[in-house]
Short mmCIF file of all heavy atoms in Angstrom, two decimals:
data_model
loop_
_atom_site.label_atom_id
_atom_site.label_comp_id
_atom_site.label_asym_id
_atom_site.label_seq_id
_atom_site.Cartn_x
_atom_site.Cartn_y
_atom_site.Cartn_z
N ASP A 1 0.87 -1.17 0.00
CA ASP A 1 0.01 0.00 -0.01
C ASP A 1 0.90 1.22 0.00
O ASP A 1 1.59 1.49 0.98
CB ASP A 1 -0.89 -0.04 1.24
CG ASP A 1 -1.86 1.13 1.29
OD1 ASP A 1 -1.93 1.90 0.32
OD2 ASP A 1 -2.53 1.28 2.34
N TYR A 2 0.90 1.97 -1.11
CA TYR A 2 1.85 3.07 -1.27
C TYR A 2 1.13 4.30 -1.82
O TYR A 2 1.14 4.58 -3.04
CB TYR A 2 3.00 2.65 -2.20
CG TYR A 2 4.10 3.67 -2.28
CD1 TYR A 2 4.88 3.98 -1.16
CD2 TYR A 2 4.34 4.38 -3.46
CE1 TYR A 2 5.88 4.94 -1.24
CE2 TYR A 2 5.34 5.33 -3.54
CZ TYR A 2 6.10 5.61 -2.41
OH TYR A 2 7.10 6.57 -2.50
N PRO A 3 0.49 5.08 -0.94
CA PRO A 3 -0.26 6.25 -1.41
C PRO A 3 0.54 7.24 -2.24
O PRO A 3 -0.04 7.84 -3.18
CB PRO A 3 -0.78 6.89 -0.10
CG PRO A 3 -0.84 5.71 0.84
CD PRO A 3 0.32 4.85 0.50
N PRO A 4 1.85 7.51 -1.97
CA PRO A 4 2.55 8.48 -2.81
C PRO A 4 2.59 8.11 -4.29
O PRO A 4 2.86 8.97 -5.14
CB PRO A 4 3.96 8.51 -2.19
CG PRO A 4 3.74 8.15 -0.75
CD PRO A 4 2.66 7.12 -0.80
N GLY A 5 2.36 6.84 -4.62
CA GLY A 5 2.33 6.44 -6.02
C GLY A 5 1.19 7.09 -6.79
O GLY A 5 1.22 7.08 -8.02
N ASP A 6 0.22 7.63 -6.10
CA ASP A 6 -0.91 8.27 -6.75
C ASP A 6 -0.79 9.80 -6.84
O ASP A 6 -1.70 10.46 -7.35
CB ASP A 6 -2.20 7.94 -6.00
CG ASP A 6 -2.53 6.44 -6.03
OD1 ASP A 6 -2.20 5.81 -7.05
OD2 ASP A 6 -3.10 5.94 -5.05
N TRP A 7 0.30 10.35 -6.36
CA TRP A 7 0.47 11.79 -6.41
C TRP A 7 0.56 12.27 -7.87
O TRP A 7 1.08 11.54 -8.75
CB TRP A 7 1.72 12.22 -5.68
CG TRP A 7 1.66 11.98 -4.20
CD1 TRP A 7 0.60 11.54 -3.45
CD2 TRP A 7 2.74 12.14 -3.26
NE1 TRP A 7 0.92 11.45 -2.13
CE2 TRP A 7 2.23 11.81 -1.98
CE3 TRP A 7 4.07 12.54 -3.37
CZ2 TRP A 7 3.03 11.86 -0.83
CZ3 TRP A 7 4.85 12.59 -2.23
CH2 TRP A 7 4.34 12.27 -0.98
N THR A 8 0.11 13.48 -8.12
CA THR A 8 0.14 14.06 -9.45
C THR A 8 0.99 15.32 -9.44
O THR A 8 1.12 16.00 -8.41
CB THR A 8 -1.26 14.40 -9.97
OG1 THR A 8 -1.82 15.43 -9.16
CG2 THR A 8 -2.16 13.16 -9.93
N VAL A 9 1.52 15.66 -10.62
CA VAL A 9 2.31 16.87 -10.74
C VAL A 9 1.47 18.10 -10.42
O VAL A 9 1.91 19.01 -9.69
CB VAL A 9 2.92 16.98 -12.16
CG1 VAL A 9 3.58 18.35 -12.36
CG2 VAL A 9 3.93 15.86 -12.40
N GLY A 10 0.24 18.11 -10.90
CA GLY A 10 -0.62 19.28 -10.65
C GLY A 10 -0.90 19.48 -9.19
O GLY A 10 -0.83 20.61 -8.66
N GLY A 11 -1.24 18.43 -8.50
CA GLY A 11 -1.53 18.53 -7.07
C GLY A 11 -0.30 18.97 -6.28
O GLY A 11 -0.39 19.81 -5.37
N LEU A 12 0.84 18.40 -6.60
CA LEU A 12 2.07 18.79 -5.94
C LEU A 12 2.41 20.25 -6.22
O LEU A 12 2.82 20.98 -5.30
CB LEU A 12 3.21 17.89 -6.39
CG LEU A 12 3.26 16.49 -5.79
CD1 LEU A 12 4.17 15.57 -6.59
CD2 LEU A 12 3.75 16.55 -4.33
N ARG A 13 2.25 20.68 -7.46
CA ARG A 13 2.56 22.06 -7.80
C ARG A 13 1.73 23.04 -7.00
O ARG A 13 2.25 24.01 -6.42
CB ARG A 13 2.33 22.31 -9.29
CG ARG A 13 2.63 23.75 -9.74
CD ARG A 13 2.23 23.99 -11.16
NE ARG A 13 0.80 23.80 -11.34
CZ ARG A 13 0.27 22.85 -12.14
NH1 ARG A 13 1.03 22.02 -12.81
NH2 ARG A 13 -1.06 22.73 -12.24
N ASP A 14 0.43 22.77 -6.91
CA ASP A 14 -0.45 23.66 -6.14
C ASP A 14 -0.01 23.70 -4.67
O ASP A 14 -0.01 24.77 -4.05
CB ASP A 14 -1.88 23.17 -6.25
CG ASP A 14 -2.45 23.35 -7.65
OD1 ASP A 14 -1.84 24.08 -8.45
OD2 ASP A 14 -3.48 22.71 -7.94
N ALA A 15 0.37 22.55 -4.12
CA ALA A 15 0.76 22.52 -2.71
C ALA A 15 2.08 23.22 -2.49
O ALA A 15 2.28 23.93 -1.49
CB ALA A 15 0.85 21.07 -2.24
N LEU A 16 2.99 23.06 -3.42
CA LEU A 16 4.32 23.67 -3.30
C LEU A 16 4.27 25.19 -3.49
O LEU A 16 5.19 25.92 -3.06
CB LEU A 16 5.30 23.04 -4.27
CG LEU A 16 5.69 21.60 -3.95
CD1 LEU A 16 6.45 20.98 -5.13
CD2 LEU A 16 6.55 21.52 -2.68
N GLU A 17 3.24 25.67 -4.15
CA GLU A 17 3.09 27.11 -4.33
C GLU A 17 2.50 27.77 -3.09
O GLU A 17 2.35 28.99 -3.03
CB GLU A 17 2.22 27.40 -5.54
CG GLU A 17 2.94 27.15 -6.86
CD GLU A 17 2.06 27.39 -8.07
OE1 GLU A 17 0.80 27.27 -7.90
OE2 GLU A 17 2.59 27.67 -9.16
N GLY A 18 2.11 26.96 -2.08
CA GLY A 18 1.55 27.49 -0.86
C GLY A 18 2.59 28.10 0.06
O GLY A 18 3.75 28.29 -0.32
N PRO A 19 2.24 28.36 1.29
CA PRO A 19 3.09 29.10 2.21
C PRO A 19 4.16 28.23 2.90
O PRO A 19 4.98 28.76 3.62
CB PRO A 19 2.11 29.66 3.25
CG PRO A 19 1.02 28.64 3.28
CD PRO A 19 0.89 28.11 1.88
N GLY A 20 4.16 26.94 2.69
CA GLY A 20 5.05 26.06 3.41
C GLY A 20 6.54 26.29 3.05
O GLY A 20 6.86 26.76 1.95
N GLU A 21 7.43 25.95 3.97
CA GLU A 21 8.86 26.07 3.77
C GLU A 21 9.50 24.68 3.85
O GLU A 21 9.21 23.91 4.78
CB GLU A 21 9.49 26.97 4.83
CG GLU A 21 9.06 28.43 4.76
CD GLU A 21 9.64 29.15 3.54
OE1 GLU A 21 10.67 28.68 3.01
OE2 GLU A 21 9.06 30.17 3.13
N ALA A 22 10.36 24.37 2.88
CA ALA A 22 10.95 23.04 2.82
C ALA A 22 12.03 22.85 3.89
O ALA A 22 12.23 21.75 4.38
CB ALA A 22 11.53 22.77 1.43
N PHE A 23 12.77 23.91 4.20
CA PHE A 23 13.89 23.77 5.14
C PHE A 23 13.38 24.02 6.54
O PHE A 23 13.06 25.15 6.92
CB PHE A 23 15.02 24.72 4.79
CG PHE A 23 16.32 24.38 5.46
CD1 PHE A 23 17.04 23.26 5.07
CD2 PHE A 23 16.83 25.15 6.50
CE1 PHE A 23 18.24 22.92 5.69
CE2 PHE A 23 18.00 24.83 7.14
CZ PHE A 23 18.72 23.69 6.72
N THR A 24 13.30 22.96 7.35
CA THR A 24 12.72 23.07 8.70
C THR A 24 13.77 23.24 9.79
O THR A 24 13.40 23.41 10.95
CB THR A 24 11.91 21.80 9.02
OG1 THR A 24 12.79 20.68 9.07
CG2 THR A 24 10.85 21.54 7.94
N LEU A 25 15.04 23.18 9.42
CA LEU A 25 16.12 23.27 10.41
C LEU A 25 16.51 24.71 10.68
O LEU A 25 16.24 25.60 9.86
CB LEU A 25 17.32 22.47 9.92
CG LEU A 25 17.06 20.97 9.76
CD1 LEU A 25 18.03 20.35 8.80
CD2 LEU A 25 17.09 20.27 11.11
N PRO A 26 17.17 24.98 11.79
CA PRO A 26 17.60 26.36 12.06
C PRO A 26 18.58 26.86 10.99
O PRO A 26 19.47 26.13 10.54
CB PRO A 26 18.30 26.24 13.41
CG PRO A 26 17.69 25.04 14.07
CD PRO A 26 17.44 24.07 12.94
N THR A 27 18.40 28.11 10.60
CA THR A 27 19.36 28.76 9.74
C THR A 27 20.32 29.60 10.60
O THR A 27 20.19 29.64 11.81
CB THR A 27 18.65 29.66 8.73
OG1 THR A 27 18.01 30.74 9.43
CG2 THR A 27 17.61 28.88 7.93
N TYR A 28 21.24 30.27 9.93
CA TYR A 28 22.19 31.11 10.64
C TYR A 28 21.49 32.13 11.56
O TYR A 28 21.97 32.45 12.64
CB TYR A 28 23.09 31.83 9.65
CG TYR A 28 24.17 32.67 10.29
CD1 TYR A 28 25.43 32.14 10.56
CD2 TYR A 28 23.94 34.01 10.61
CE1 TYR A 28 26.43 32.93 11.15
CE2 TYR A 28 24.92 34.79 11.18
CZ TYR A 28 26.16 34.25 11.46
OH TYR A 28 27.13 35.02 12.04
N ASP A 29 20.35 32.61 11.10
CA ASP A 29 19.63 33.64 11.86
C ASP A 29 19.08 33.15 13.19
O ASP A 29 18.77 33.95 14.08
CB ASP A 29 18.48 34.19 11.02
CG ASP A 29 18.97 35.00 9.83
OD1 ASP A 29 20.10 35.56 9.91
OD2 ASP A 29 18.26 35.05 8.80
N ASP A 30 18.94 31.84 13.35
CA ASP A 30 18.37 31.27 14.59
C ASP A 30 19.46 31.09 15.63
O ASP A 30 19.83 29.97 16.02
CB ASP A 30 17.69 29.93 14.28
CG ASP A 30 16.55 30.07 13.31
OD1 ASP A 30 15.78 31.04 13.44
OD2 ASP A 30 16.44 29.23 12.39
N GLU A 31 19.98 32.23 16.10
CA GLU A 31 21.15 32.18 16.99
C GLU A 31 20.90 31.36 18.22
O GLU A 31 21.77 30.61 18.69
CB GLU A 31 21.53 33.62 17.39
CG GLU A 31 22.76 33.69 18.27
CD GLU A 31 23.20 35.12 18.56
OE1 GLU A 31 22.60 36.06 17.98
OE2 GLU A 31 24.13 35.29 19.35
N ALA A 32 19.71 31.45 18.80
CA ALA A 32 19.43 30.72 20.05
C ALA A 32 19.55 29.22 19.87
O ALA A 32 20.03 28.47 20.73
CB ALA A 32 18.05 31.09 20.55
N ALA A 33 19.11 28.72 18.70
CA ALA A 33 19.16 27.27 18.45
C ALA A 33 20.60 26.79 18.36
O ALA A 33 20.94 25.70 18.86
CB ALA A 33 18.41 26.94 17.14
N TRP A 34 21.48 27.57 17.75
CA TRP A 34 22.88 27.18 17.62
C TRP A 34 23.59 27.31 18.95
O TRP A 34 24.45 26.47 19.30
CB TRP A 34 23.57 28.00 16.54
CG TRP A 34 22.99 27.77 15.19
CD1 TRP A 34 22.11 28.58 14.52
CD2 TRP A 34 23.18 26.64 14.35
NE1 TRP A 34 21.77 28.03 13.32
CE2 TRP A 34 22.44 26.83 13.17
CE3 TRP A 34 23.94 25.48 14.46
CZ2 TRP A 34 22.41 25.91 12.13
CZ3 TRP A 34 23.94 24.53 13.42
CH2 TRP A 34 23.17 24.76 12.29
N THR A 35 23.26 28.33 19.72
CA THR A 35 23.86 28.47 21.06
C THR A 35 23.47 27.28 21.94
O THR A 35 24.27 26.76 22.72
CB THR A 35 23.39 29.77 21.71
OG1 THR A 35 23.81 30.89 20.90
CG2 THR A 35 23.97 29.94 23.12
N ALA A 36 22.23 26.85 21.80
CA ALA A 36 21.77 25.70 22.60
C ALA A 36 22.56 24.46 22.29
O ALA A 36 22.85 23.65 23.17
CB ALA A 36 20.27 25.49 22.34
N LEU A 37 22.93 24.27 21.02
CA LEU A 37 23.73 23.09 20.66
C LEU A 37 25.06 23.08 21.39
O LEU A 37 25.55 22.02 21.80
CB LEU A 37 23.96 23.05 19.14
CG LEU A 37 22.79 22.74 18.23
CD1 LEU A 37 23.27 22.66 16.80
CD2 LEU A 37 22.10 21.42 18.62
N ARG A 38 25.65 24.25 21.53
CA ARG A 38 26.97 24.31 22.17
C ARG A 38 26.88 24.14 23.69
O ARG A 38 27.85 23.71 24.32
CB ARG A 38 27.65 25.64 21.83
CG ARG A 38 29.11 25.67 22.23
CD ARG A 38 29.82 26.89 21.70
NE ARG A 38 31.27 26.78 21.82
CZ ARG A 38 32.13 27.67 21.40
NH1 ARG A 38 31.70 28.77 20.78
NH2 ARG A 38 33.45 27.49 21.54
N THR A 39 25.77 24.48 24.27
CA THR A 39 25.66 24.44 25.71
C THR A 39 24.90 23.21 26.24
O THR A 39 25.06 22.86 27.42
CB THR A 39 24.90 25.70 26.22
OG1 THR A 39 23.64 25.81 25.60
CG2 THR A 39 25.74 26.95 25.91
N ASP A 40 24.14 22.58 25.41
CA ASP A 40 23.36 21.42 25.84
C ASP A 40 24.31 20.25 26.10
O ASP A 40 25.20 19.94 25.30
CB ASP A 40 22.36 21.03 24.75
CG ASP A 40 21.32 20.05 25.26
OD1 ASP A 40 21.69 19.03 25.83
OD2 ASP A 40 20.12 20.32 25.06
N GLU A 41 24.11 19.59 27.23
CA GLU A 41 24.96 18.45 27.59
C GLU A 41 24.91 17.36 26.53
O GLU A 41 25.91 16.65 26.30
CB GLU A 41 24.52 17.89 28.94
CG GLU A 41 25.39 16.74 29.45
CD GLU A 41 24.95 16.22 30.79
OE1 GLU A 41 24.02 16.85 31.38
OE2 GLU A 41 25.51 15.22 31.27
N LEU A 42 23.77 17.21 25.85
CA LEU A 42 23.62 16.19 24.84
C LEU A 42 24.55 16.40 23.63
O LEU A 42 25.15 15.46 23.12
CB LEU A 42 22.17 16.11 24.36
CG LEU A 42 21.86 15.11 23.26
CD1 LEU A 42 21.96 13.69 23.81
CD2 LEU A 42 20.47 15.37 22.70
N THR A 43 24.66 17.65 23.19
CA THR A 43 25.33 17.93 21.93
C THR A 43 26.66 18.66 22.10
O THR A 43 27.37 18.90 21.13
CB THR A 43 24.41 18.79 21.03
OG1 THR A 43 23.98 19.93 21.74
CG2 THR A 43 23.22 17.99 20.59
N ARG A 44 27.01 19.04 23.34
CA ARG A 44 28.19 19.89 23.54
C ARG A 44 29.48 19.26 23.01
O ARG A 44 30.25 19.90 22.28
CB ARG A 44 28.34 20.21 25.04
CG ARG A 44 29.50 21.14 25.35
CD ARG A 44 29.52 21.52 26.84
NE ARG A 44 29.70 20.33 27.66
CZ ARG A 44 28.82 19.94 28.58
NH1 ARG A 44 27.70 20.61 28.79
NH2 ARG A 44 29.04 18.85 29.33
N GLU A 45 29.72 17.99 23.32
CA GLU A 45 30.99 17.38 22.91
C GLU A 45 31.11 17.24 21.39
O GLU A 45 32.14 17.60 20.83
CB GLU A 45 31.16 16.02 23.59
CG GLU A 45 31.56 16.14 25.05
CD GLU A 45 32.00 14.79 25.60
OE1 GLU A 45 32.99 14.23 25.10
OE2 GLU A 45 31.33 14.31 26.53
N PRO A 46 30.10 16.70 20.70
CA PRO A 46 30.26 16.64 19.24
C PRO A 46 30.38 18.01 18.59
O PRO A 46 31.10 18.16 17.60
CB PRO A 46 29.02 15.89 18.77
CG PRO A 46 28.08 15.86 19.90
CD PRO A 46 28.90 15.98 21.15
N VAL A 47 29.70 19.00 19.14
CA VAL A 47 29.81 20.36 18.56
C VAL A 47 31.24 20.89 18.78
O VAL A 47 31.83 21.47 17.87
CB VAL A 47 28.76 21.30 19.16
CG1 VAL A 47 29.10 22.75 18.85
CG2 VAL A 47 27.37 20.94 18.64
#
Protein backbone atom coordinates (compact mmCIF):
# COMPACT_ATOMS: atom_id res chain seq x y z
CA ASP A 1 0.00 0.00 0.00
CA TYR A 2 1.84 3.07 -1.27
CA PRO A 3 -0.27 6.25 -1.41
CA PRO A 4 2.55 8.48 -2.81
CA GLY A 5 2.33 6.44 -6.02
CA ASP A 6 -0.92 8.27 -6.75
CA TRP A 7 0.46 11.79 -6.42
CA THR A 8 0.15 14.06 -9.46
CA VAL A 9 2.32 16.88 -10.74
CA GLY A 10 -0.62 19.28 -10.66
CA GLY A 11 -1.52 18.54 -7.07
CA LEU A 12 2.07 18.79 -5.95
CA ARG A 13 2.56 22.07 -7.80
CA ASP A 14 -0.44 23.64 -6.14
CA ALA A 15 0.76 22.52 -2.71
CA LEU A 16 4.33 23.68 -3.29
CA GLU A 17 3.09 27.11 -4.32
CA GLY A 18 1.54 27.49 -0.87
CA PRO A 19 3.10 29.10 2.22
CA GLY A 20 5.07 26.06 3.41
CA GLU A 21 8.86 26.07 3.77
CA ALA A 22 10.95 23.04 2.82
CA PHE A 23 13.88 23.76 5.14
CA THR A 24 12.72 23.07 8.69
CA LEU A 25 16.11 23.26 10.42
CA PRO A 26 17.60 26.36 12.06
CA THR A 27 19.37 28.77 9.73
CA TYR A 28 22.19 31.11 10.65
CA ASP A 29 19.63 33.64 11.86
CA ASP A 30 18.37 31.27 14.59
CA GLU A 31 21.14 32.19 16.99
CA ALA A 32 19.43 30.72 20.05
CA ALA A 33 19.16 27.28 18.43
CA TRP A 34 22.88 27.18 17.62
CA THR A 35 23.85 28.47 21.06
CA ALA A 36 21.76 25.72 22.59
CA LEU A 37 23.72 23.09 20.66
CA ARG A 38 26.97 24.31 22.17
CA THR A 39 25.65 24.44 25.72
CA ASP A 40 23.37 21.42 25.83
CA GLU A 41 24.96 18.45 27.59
CA LEU A 42 23.63 16.18 24.84
CA THR A 43 25.34 17.93 21.93
CA ARG A 44 28.19 19.89 23.54
CA GLU A 45 30.99 17.38 22.91
CA PRO A 46 30.26 16.64 19.25
CA VAL A 47 29.81 20.35 18.57
